[in-house]
Amino acid sequence: MWYKKLHWQIIIGLILGLIWGLVSSIAGFNNFTTDFIKPFGTIFITLLKLIAVPLVLASLVAGVTSLNDTTKLSRMGGKTVLIYLCTTIFAVTIGLVSVNLIKPGTALPEETKISLQETYSGSIEERSRSAEEVMNRGPLDFVVDIVPENFFAAASDNSLMLQVVFVAILLGIGIIQIGGEKGQFLITFFDSLNDVIIKIVDLIMKTAPYGVFALMASLIVDLAGDDLTKALELLGALGWYSITVLVALIIHVLLVYTSLFKIFSKEMKLSGFFKAIRPAMLLGFSTSSSSATLPVTMERVEKNLGVDEEVSSFVLPVGATINMDGTSLYQAVAAVFIAQALGMDLTIGQQLMIVLTATAASVGAAGVPGAGIVMLVVVLEAIQVPTAGIALILGVDRILDMCRTTVNITGDAAVALTVASTEGKLHEPVLED
Ligand code: ASP
């Protein structure tokens, strides 16, 4: 039966959650939704986050220890970062071309601008402060940050995933080098731990339809509040802007990921790629967080795309932290939209500056909801567009965040497949759920 398939169940959960949220806003039982439904969504995301660090550690140690040649690691690392950078630059460029062609900012009526700025200007200060901290950092600070001084501190904060990756690689290399009985014992230990964690991910995913239902219901209640018409008006006013972001995201997926797929996956059909990672894409959409979705992305990419664990256990955690094509594309569209709405003409130099800063800003953005708009401050400052303009787009940010996160996750999976294919590490995938 079709409805027994996990992705259909998640889609049904998503639609029912949406309906529940709308009905609860119209009929006025928002408090019930917030008090008794929202917590289940929160628990679901927390469970996924809970499993992320142990999963990355165990699967990466298992991956590294199965390498017969550790020099492969640096080659794979260099290749991964390079492909990630290239896809991000493509994304920003597609965003820039779309926003310059569609020009959504020029269509924004004056009174809408004023009312948006009045409504949202209060919420900008905190975002500007967080972005300021990022801007005050030295150029190599991000490299320094990869090395933790305390493993347990790193493992206790999901935003420090690159530090966990670093420790796991060290640990793996150490285990290979001691070899012998002790080494074998540790290899078996991490392998078994990895299998246990994958089982737990499966268990958590069984609750995904309910979790997604709760997340969507509470999201609609948070967005619409008691005044659904106002929320819909806002969506309408920012319609062209939202359409530009969506069209550009779709073009990026169709152009860049499809090409990567066509070049590097010889056996599988394109529809097979999307089928394989569909549950991860749906989760990314409903959680707006690449980090929270990471365990599911890893599982699907390994099992259903056939990417060897050696590759996926490295490429995907790194991708969830630094590769955000959807985010960088959105930042380019948003920056130019704000400039257009404020009547500022951007020079070619400023647009090139957007390519640079949006790429860097998306690398620096964490894989959590709303991180992209915080880092947008960095882009706006670089091209001297007033950061107060963020007020214009805040109202629809959460919805666009869901879409760009889905693209971020798709990008990580496409690159994992590419790296695996060039390393000869692509196996026969499992085609069912
Ligand atoms: N929510 C996005 C992610 O987790 C980041 C962002 O664009 O806000 O990938």
Side-chain angles (χ1 to χ4, degrees):
M1 283 301 181
W2 63 272
Y3 57 82
K4 288 208 169 134
K5 292 217 162 107
L6 179 64
H7 66 272
W8 279 117
Q9 293 189 350
I10 299 179
I11 292 174
I12 293 170
L14 208 143
I15 294 171
L16 289 181
L18 201 95
I19 295 173
W20 181 286
L22 288 175
V23 172
S24 117
S25 292
I26 295 165
F29 52 91
N30 281 353
N31 285 347
F32 175 82
T33 306
T34 310
D35 291 343
F36 294 100
I37 298 209
K38 190 175 180 176
F40 292 100
T42 313
I43 292 175
F44 175 63
I45 295 200
T46 314
L47 281 172
L48 286 170
K49 289 184 185 160
L50 166 74
I51 212 69
V53 168
L55 175 64
V56 170
L57 184 74
S59 79
L60 192 50
V61 173
V64 173
T65 49
S66 65
L67 283 173
N68 33 24
D69 173 10
T70 40
T71 53
K72 252 192 190 170
L73 259 179
S74 51
R75 190 182 64 214
M76 201 165 78
K79 204 185 276 181
T80 305
V81 173
L82 192 71
I83 305 177
Y84 275 155
L85 270 182
C86 291
T87 55
T88 306
I89 292 174
F90 267 113
V92 182
T93 313
I94 291 173
L96 278 180
V97 171
S98 312
V99 70
N100 280 299
L101 287 179
I102 302 178
K103 293 194 174 46
T106 47
L108 198 65
E110 198 54 40
E111 67 273 22
T112 318
K113 255 184 254 176
I114 297 170
S115 89
L116 284 172
Q117 275 172 329
E118 272 168 9
T119 319
Y120 291 105
S121 53
S123 5
I124 294 174
E125 221 169 85
E126 198 190 319
R127 288 178 171 85
S128 298
R129 231 177 296 123
S130 323
E132 195 108 343
E133 279 170 27
V134 178
M135 284 186 282
N136 289 337
R137 316 201 53 213
L140 286 186
D141 278 1
F142 78 96
V143 184
V144 175
D145 282 350
I146 296 177
V147 186
E149 64 176 26
N150 182 315
F151 169 68
F152 293 97
S156 64
D157 182 348
N158 281 22
S159 69
L160 301 176
M161 201 55 94
L162 285 186
Q163 299 192 346
V164 177
V165 167
F166 181 80
V167 175
I169 293 177
L170 269 189
L171 204 57
I173 294 176
I175 294 175
I176 294 180
Q177 298 206 338
I178 61 166
E181 217 175 282
K182 285 183 185 163
Q184 194 48 52
F185 167 77
L186 284 171
I187 290 176
T188 316
F189 171 78
F190 279 107
D191 250 348
S192 318
L193 183 63
N194 192 24
D195 288 351
V196 172
I197 292 168
I198 289 174
K199 265 278 151 292
I200 300 179
V201 175
D202 276 343
L203 285 179
I204 298 173
M205 280 308 281
K206 287 206 185 341
T207 68
Y210 307 101
V212 166
F213 168 81
L215 283 171
M216 288 311 290
S218 51
L219 176 69
I220 300 293
V221 165
D222 287 347
L223 287 181
D226 296 320
D227 197 348
L228 190 60
T229 357
K230 195 156 168 254
L232 290 177
E233 269 169 21
L234 184 64
L235 210 59
L238 291 172
W240 277 112
Y241 160 68
S242 311
I243 289 173
T244 311
V245 175
L246 294 180
V247 167
L249 286 176
I250 293 172
I251 294 177
H252 180 69
V253 172
L254 292 183
L255 215 69
V256 179
Y257 302 152
T258 307
S259 313
L260 278 182
F261 184 83
K262 286 252 169 357
I263 300 169
F264 292 101
S265 164
K266 301 187 177 71
E267 310 278 312
M268 203 186 235
K269 279 206 225 128
L270 182 64
S271 59
F273 171 72
F274 289 106
K275 265 187 201 155
I277 57 163
R278 207 164 26 190
M281 290 173 78
L282 286 167
L283 269 196
F285 183 79
S286 14
T287 60
S288 285
S289 167
S290 333
S291 299
T293 313
L294 179 63
V296 182
T297 319
M298 285 176 77
E299 196 199 7
R300 301 299 297 194
V301 166
E302 267 163 42
K303 200 165 91 188
N304 304 76
L305 276 187
V307 171
D308 195 285
E309 190 178 48
E310 269 173 30
V311 175
S312 64
S313 62
F314 171 75
V315 177
L316 293 173
V318 171
T321 324
I322 69 164
N323 181 51
M324 295 189 186
D325 296 352
T327 301
S328 64
L329 179 153
Y330 140 86
Q331 284 169 336
V333 176
V336 179
F337 170 79
I338 293 171
Q340 288 171 350
L342 299 180
M344 301 170 73
D345 265 337
L346 295 180
T347 60
I348 293 288
Q350 279 170 310
Q351 306 242 7
L352 284 178
M353 195 63 181
I354 295 180
V355 178
L356 268 185
T357 47
T359 304
S362 69
V363 170
V368 295
I373 202 161
V374 172
M375 297 304 281
L376 178 62
V377 175
V378 178
V379 182
L380 292 177
E381 295 257 343
I383 54 168
Q384 283 139 20
V385 169
T387 47
I390 287 183
L392 297 175
I393 55 166
L394 256 177
V396 288
D397 194 63
R398 184 59 208 256
I399 295 171
L400 296 180
D401 193 0
M402 296 159 82
C403 304
R404 64 187 189 243
T405 308
T406 312
V407 174
N408 291 345
I409 287 162
T410 314
D412 295 344
V415 174
L417 182 109
T418 306
V419 175
S421 162
T422 58
E423 291 285 321
K425 290 282 167 194
L426 214 47
H427 310 300
E428 193 63 40
V430 176
L431 290 177
E432 282 99 62
D433 266 344

